Amino acid sequence: MAFLLAKLLYSDALPEHERNLFYQLLASNETSAGLLKAAAPEGLAVADRTGAGGFGSRGIAAIVGSLGEEALVVVIYLTETKADLSARDLAVSELGRALFAEFFAL
């Protein structure tokens, strides 16, 4: 997933106008406000898509940073847990905080 996301946004796999549209679609996602976006330092762009499903699954694929500049590709999957959705969301947010602390020296 990380490779595909990076390929679509940071190569010539898509024409520039389609890359920009794809990034804007990811950036406008509001359903993930409590996940990586909540953990991100102020001013840091997070463009993502999320999903949840059976077997206690929760996932997020994100570009951390702006299109056209060096960015971090983040993919987090949780599965086979009995935790409810709010607990899985909290786990993703906490993983995001640890990730941002490591990569952005917070």
Side-chain angles (χ1 to χ4, degrees), residues 4-62:
L4 178 60
L5 193 54
K7 182 84 169 167
L8 290 173
L9 288 170
Y10 292 99
S11 77
D12 292 331
L14 295 174
E16 183 177 3
H17 72 280
E18 290 180 15
R19 272 194 312 270
N20 291 334
L21 176 60
F22 182 50
Y23 180 83
Q24 289 307 315
L25 289 170
L26 296 174
S28 66
N29 182 19
E30 295 180 10
T31 62
S32 63
L35 300 173
L36 290 183
K37 289 177 182 176
E42 187 174 334
L44 185 61
V46 176
D48 61 35
R49 276 299 181 254
T50 63
F55 305 104
S57 298
R58 185 62 160 145
I60 186 166

